[in-house]
Amino acid sequence: MLATTDSTNAHALRIDPATPTWIVAGEQTGGRGRRGRPWVSPRGNFYGTLTMRPRGPAATVALRSFLAALALHETCVVLTGLPDSFRLKWPNDVLLNGGKLAGILLESSGAGGGAGGVARLAIGIGVNLIAAPPPESVEPGAVPPVSLLSETGIRITPEAFLAHLAPAYARREAQFLAQGFAPARRDWLGLAARLGQPITARTGSHSRTGIFADMDGQGALILDTPTGREAIPAADIFF
């Protein structure tokens, strides 16, 4: 475990180990989330990255964000004993009592791993174990951040969290390699927040509101809108 680093994703992509490796830091000085947003990184929270050399096309490699979300959900449930408190928000957040507890950021570099693949993949995970950013730090309408400690009274160290997360992800990875995405898709949908309910998908300045109907085999959100059904491969989701 590193005492401090700029970003566990950046560190993981710099070192490029030959086998899948977890990089965990006590503090990040340049943590980031999706779309380059800063990720506030006080000590005591979990900041970790699993780095690997994946096989297959980039679209298949990217499905590992859903594997990571399932592993995160399992870890949170095992460590708290509160299965009904955690849900998964498309595409890559874990919710606790409706607030954002954790986020996942996939980054890659180089070409490799087969036609259209990537040479290196970093699966970055941030979990608010003891502290969360203030609500005013997120954009209007976004899910407010929460911490595990404030919501449950349970204090978990990053080391203890990793001890459960690493094997949970390894099991999901093995299943993915053996059976494809279908089992993970089924399990993810069983834990999805707001499935069957109205949501808004925002891409840049364009917003679409409809019913969250499904997630397809490529991980795209299926939205039923007044103008028809639409598959959305990437967007920010607002409730």
Side-chain angles (χ1 to χ4, degrees):
M1 181 169 177
L2 304 170
T4 186
T5 189
D6 53 349
S7 154
T8 57
N9 268 20
H11 186 93
L13 292 173
R14 285 195 296 265
I15 62 173
D16 188 24
T19 58
T21 301
W22 281 93
I23 307 298
V24 178
E27 180 185 40
Q28 293 185 127
T29 59
R32 58 188 183 274
R34 293 180 68 239
R35 306 187 191 281
R37 300 182 181 113
W39 187 274
V40 180
S41 305
R43 289 193 176 275
N45 287 346
F46 180 84
Y47 315 111
T49 294
L50 175 60
T51 180
M52 64 176 69
R53 296 177 178 177
R55 303 290 300 177
T60 300
V61 169
L63 294 173
R64 285 176 169 85
S65 65
F66 299 102
L67 309 187
L70 287 166
L72 271 171
H73 181 274
E74 177 184 329
T75 299
C76 290
V77 169
V78 168
L79 291 175
T80 66
L82 300 170
D84 297 331
S85 297
F86 300 93
R87 304 295 286 180
L88 302 180
K89 177 176 177 285
W90 190 90
N92 54 10
D93 292 340
V94 178
L95 305 183
L96 169 57
N97 297 335
K100 180 174 176 176
L101 175 71
I104 299 163
L105 176 66
L106 265 60
E107 295 184 299
S108 62
S109 67
V118 300
R120 291 179 289 170
L121 175 69
I123 306 173
I125 295 172
V127 186
N128 299 327
L129 293 179
I130 67 168
E136 59 269 19
S137 67
V138 300
E139 61 185 299
V143 173
V146 298
S147 77
L148 190 70
L149 181 61
S150 66
E151 291 293 312
T152 69
I154 299 172
R155 183 181 291 270
I156 297 171
T157 67
E159 293 84 355
F161 197 85
L162 178 64
H164 288 268
L165 177 62
Y169 182 86
R171 289 189 292 271
R172 285 291 176 180
E173 177 74 17
Q175 181 190 56
F176 181 59
L177 294 177
Q179 303 178 44
F181 185 54
R185 173 181 173 270
R186 178 199 63 221
D187 293 347
W188 193 97
L189 284 168
L191 299 167
R194 302 298 178 99
L195 185 65
Q197 299 180 38
I199 62 172
T200 296
R202 185 180 299 167
T203 52
S205 59
H206 182 49
S207 294
R208 288 153 288 182
T209 297
I211 301 298
F212 179 11
D214 201 353
M215 180 176 73
D216 70 16
Q218 289 72 51
L221 181 146
I222 305 302
L223 192 68
D224 282 340
T225 74
T227 58
R229 176 162 287 196
E230 187 174 354
I232 300 174
D236 289 322
I237 300 302
F238 296 83
F239 297 157

PDB file of all heavy atoms in Angstrom, residues 118-134:
ATOM      1  N   VAL A 118      -6.924  -3.201 -25.860  1.00  0.00           N
ATOM      2  CA  VAL A 118      -6.054  -2.257 -25.168  1.00  0.00           C
ATOM      3  C   VAL A 118      -4.922  -3.041 -24.513  1.00  0.00           C
ATOM      4  O   VAL A 118      -5.086  -4.206 -24.132  1.00  0.00           O
ATOM      5  CB  VAL A 118      -6.821  -1.435 -24.105  1.00  0.00           C
ATOM      6  CG1 VAL A 118      -7.937  -0.635 -24.763  1.00  0.00           C
ATOM      7  CG2 VAL A 118      -7.397  -2.337 -23.020  1.00  0.00           C
ATOM      8  N   ALA A 119      -3.785  -2.385 -24.367  1.00  0.00           N
ATOM      9  CA  ALA A 119      -2.628  -3.059 -23.786  1.00  0.00           C
ATOM     10  C   ALA A 119      -2.724  -3.148 -22.276  1.00  0.00           C
ATOM     11  O   ALA A 119      -2.366  -4.162 -21.670  1.00  0.00           O
ATOM     12  CB  ALA A 119      -1.341  -2.330 -24.186  1.00  0.00           C
ATOM     13  N   ARG A 120      -3.209  -2.083 -21.639  1.00  0.00           N
ATOM     14  CA  ARG A 120      -3.273  -2.039 -20.183  1.00  0.00           C
ATOM     15  C   ARG A 120      -4.597  -1.431 -19.752  1.00  0.00           C
ATOM     16  O   ARG A 120      -5.073  -0.471 -20.345  1.00  0.00           O
ATOM     17  CB  ARG A 120      -2.116  -1.202 -19.619  1.00  0.00           C
ATOM     18  CG  ARG A 120      -0.748  -1.843 -19.803  1.00  0.00           C
ATOM     19  CD  ARG A 120       0.339  -0.949 -19.246  1.00  0.00           C
ATOM     20  NE  ARG A 120       0.539   0.238 -20.088  1.00  0.00           N
ATOM     21  CZ  ARG A 120       1.282   1.290 -19.746  1.00  0.00           C
ATOM     22  NH1 ARG A 120       1.870   1.315 -18.570  1.00  0.00           N
ATOM     23  NH2 ARG A 120       1.429   2.297 -20.562  1.00  0.00           N
ATOM     24  N   LEU A 121      -5.154  -2.003 -18.702  1.00  0.00           N
ATOM     25  CA  LEU A 121      -6.416  -1.518 -18.152  1.00  0.00           C
ATOM     26  C   LEU A 121      -6.230  -1.213 -16.676  1.00  0.00           C
ATOM     27  O   LEU A 121      -5.610  -1.989 -15.936  1.00  0.00           O
ATOM     28  CB  LEU A 121      -7.519  -2.562 -18.306  1.00  0.00           C
ATOM     29  CG  LEU A 121      -8.869  -2.225 -17.662  1.00  0.00           C
ATOM     30  CD1 LEU A 121      -9.543  -1.075 -18.395  1.00  0.00           C
ATOM     31  CD2 LEU A 121      -9.774  -3.457 -17.629  1.00  0.00           C
ATOM     32  N   ALA A 122      -6.764  -0.068 -16.253  1.00  0.00           N
ATOM     33  CA  ALA A 122      -6.782   0.300 -14.839  1.00  0.00           C
ATOM     34  C   ALA A 122      -8.240   0.440 -14.399  1.00  0.00           C
ATOM     35  O   ALA A 122      -8.986   1.233 -14.975  1.00  0.00           O
ATOM     36  CB  ALA A 122      -6.032   1.606 -14.614  1.00  0.00           C
ATOM     37  N   ILE A 123      -8.638  -0.353 -13.409  1.00  0.00           N
ATOM     38  CA  ILE A 123      -9.981  -0.281 -12.847  1.00  0.00           C
ATOM     39  C   ILE A 123      -9.861   0.455 -11.522  1.00  0.00           C
ATOM     40  O   ILE A 123      -9.480  -0.124 -10.507  1.00  0.00           O
ATOM     41  CB  ILE A 123     -10.584  -1.672 -12.633  1.00  0.00           C
ATOM     42  CG1 ILE A 123     -10.551  -2.490 -13.929  1.00  0.00           C
ATOM     43  CG2 ILE A 123     -12.018  -1.555 -12.108  1.00  0.00           C
ATOM     44  CD1 ILE A 123     -10.968  -3.940 -13.751  1.00  0.00           C
ATOM     45  N   GLY A 124     -10.151   1.745 -11.537  1.00  0.00           N
ATOM     46  CA  GLY A 124     -10.010   2.571 -10.354  1.00  0.00           C
ATOM     47  C   GLY A 124     -11.290   2.589  -9.529  1.00  0.00           C
ATOM     48  O   GLY A 124     -12.389   2.703 -10.075  1.00  0.00           O
ATOM     49  N   ILE A 125     -11.129   2.481  -8.214  1.00  0.00           N
ATOM     50  CA  ILE A 125     -12.280   2.417  -7.310  1.00  0.00           C
ATOM     51  C   ILE A 125     -12.049   3.359  -6.133  1.00  0.00           C
ATOM     52  O   ILE A 125     -10.995   3.308  -5.491  1.00  0.00           O
ATOM     53  CB  ILE A 125     -12.493   0.983  -6.787  1.00  0.00           C
ATOM     54  CG1 ILE A 125     -12.860   0.045  -7.946  1.00  0.00           C
ATOM     55  CG2 ILE A 125     -13.559   0.948  -5.694  1.00  0.00           C
ATOM     56  CD1 ILE A 125     -12.904  -1.411  -7.568  1.00  0.00           C
ATOM     57  N   GLY A 126     -13.016   4.211  -5.878  1.00  0.00           N
ATOM     58  CA  GLY A 126     -12.978   5.078  -4.703  1.00  0.00           C
ATOM     59  C   GLY A 126     -14.202   4.843  -3.848  1.00  0.00           C
ATOM     60  O   GLY A 126     -15.325   4.810  -4.374  1.00  0.00           O
ATOM     61  N   VAL A 127     -13.994   4.649  -2.548  1.00  0.00           N
ATOM     62  CA  VAL A 127     -15.097   4.370  -1.630  1.00  0.00           C
ATOM     63  C   VAL A 127     -15.007   5.314  -0.438  1.00  0.00           C
ATOM     64  O   VAL A 127     -13.956   5.407   0.207  1.00  0.00           O
ATOM     65  CB  VAL A 127     -15.063   2.913  -1.122  1.00  0.00           C
ATOM     66  CG1 VAL A 127     -16.309   2.602  -0.290  1.00  0.00           C
ATOM     67  CG2 VAL A 127     -14.926   1.930  -2.279  1.00  0.00           C
ATOM     68  N   ASN A 128     -16.103   5.992  -0.147  1.00  0.00           N
ATOM     69  CA  ASN A 128     -16.150   6.910   0.997  1.00  0.00           C
ATOM     70  C   ASN A 128     -16.358   6.112   2.289  1.00  0.00           C
ATOM     71  O   ASN A 128     -17.473   5.991   2.786  1.00  0.00           O
ATOM     72  CB  ASN A 128     -17.287   7.925   0.821  1.00  0.00           C
ATOM     73  CG  ASN A 128     -17.134   8.779  -0.414  1.00  0.00           C
ATOM     74  OD1 ASN A 128     -16.024   9.099  -0.833  1.00  0.00           O
ATOM     75  ND2 ASN A 128     -18.258   9.151  -1.006  1.00  0.00           N
ATOM     76  N   LEU A 129     -15.282   5.579   2.815  1.00  0.00           N
ATOM     77  CA  LEU A 129     -15.404   4.756   4.019  1.00  0.00           C
ATOM     78  C   LEU A 129     -15.716   5.592   5.257  1.00  0.00           C
ATOM     79  O   LEU A 129     -16.562   5.207   6.071  1.00  0.00           O
ATOM     80  CB  LEU A 129     -14.112   3.968   4.248  1.00  0.00           C
ATOM     81  CG  LEU A 129     -13.775   2.889   3.212  1.00  0.00           C
ATOM     82  CD1 LEU A 129     -12.456   2.222   3.572  1.00  0.00           C
ATOM     83  CD2 LEU A 129     -14.891   1.852   3.110  1.00  0.00           C
ATOM     84  N   ILE A 130     -15.020   6.721   5.422  1.00  0.00           N
ATOM     85  CA  ILE A 130     -15.227   7.517   6.644  1.00  0.00           C
ATOM     86  C   ILE A 130     -15.615   8.963   6.374  1.00  0.00           C
ATOM     87  O   ILE A 130     -16.058   9.660   7.290  1.00  0.00           O
ATOM     88  CB  ILE A 130     -13.979   7.486   7.544  1.00  0.00           C
ATOM     89  CG1 ILE A 130     -12.801   8.217   6.877  1.00  0.00           C
ATOM     90  CG2 ILE A 130     -13.597   6.063   7.901  1.00  0.00           C
ATOM     91  CD1 ILE A 130     -11.649   8.474   7.827  1.00  0.00           C
ATOM     92  N   ALA A 131     -15.442   9.437   5.138  1.00  0.00           N
ATOM     93  CA  ALA A 131     -15.758  10.839   4.842  1.00  0.00           C
ATOM     94  C   ALA A 131     -16.263  10.967   3.419  1.00  0.00           C
ATOM     95  O   ALA A 131     -15.852  10.216   2.529  1.00  0.00           O
ATOM     96  CB  ALA A 131     -14.526  11.712   5.040  1.00  0.00           C
ATOM     97  N   ALA A 132     -17.169  11.920   3.205  1.00  0.00           N
ATOM     98  CA  ALA A 132     -17.715  12.188   1.879  1.00  0.00           C
ATOM     99  C   ALA A 132     -17.589  13.670   1.571  1.00  0.00           C
ATOM    100  O   ALA A 132     -17.590  14.504   2.480  1.00  0.00           O
ATOM    101  CB  ALA A 132     -19.184  11.772   1.813  1.00  0.00           C
ATOM    102  N   PRO A 133     -17.488  14.028   0.296  1.00  0.00           N
ATOM    103  CA  PRO A 133     -17.462  15.445  -0.066  1.00  0.00           C
ATOM    104  C   PRO A 133     -18.757  16.125   0.356  1.00  0.00           C
ATOM    105  O   PRO A 133     -19.807  15.482   0.477  1.00  0.00           O
ATOM    106  CB  PRO A 133     -17.334  15.422  -1.593  1.00  0.00           C
ATOM    107  CG  PRO A 133     -16.830  14.060  -1.921  1.00  0.00           C
ATOM    108  CD  PRO A 133     -17.377  13.150  -0.876  1.00  0.00           C
ATOM    109  N   PRO A 134     -18.736  17.438   0.578  1.00  0.00           N
ATOM    110  CA  PRO A 134     -19.976  18.139   0.926  1.00  0.00           C
ATOM    111  C   PRO A 134     -20.959  18.113  -0.238  1.00  0.00           C
ATOM    112  O   PRO A 134     -20.554  18.082  -1.402  1.00  0.00           O
ATOM    113  CB  PRO A 134     -19.501  19.563   1.224  1.00  0.00           C
ATOM    114  CG  PRO A 134     -18.200  19.699   0.498  1.00  0.00           C
ATOM    115  CD  PRO A 134     -17.573  18.346   0.522  1.00  0.00           C
TER     116      PRO A 134
END
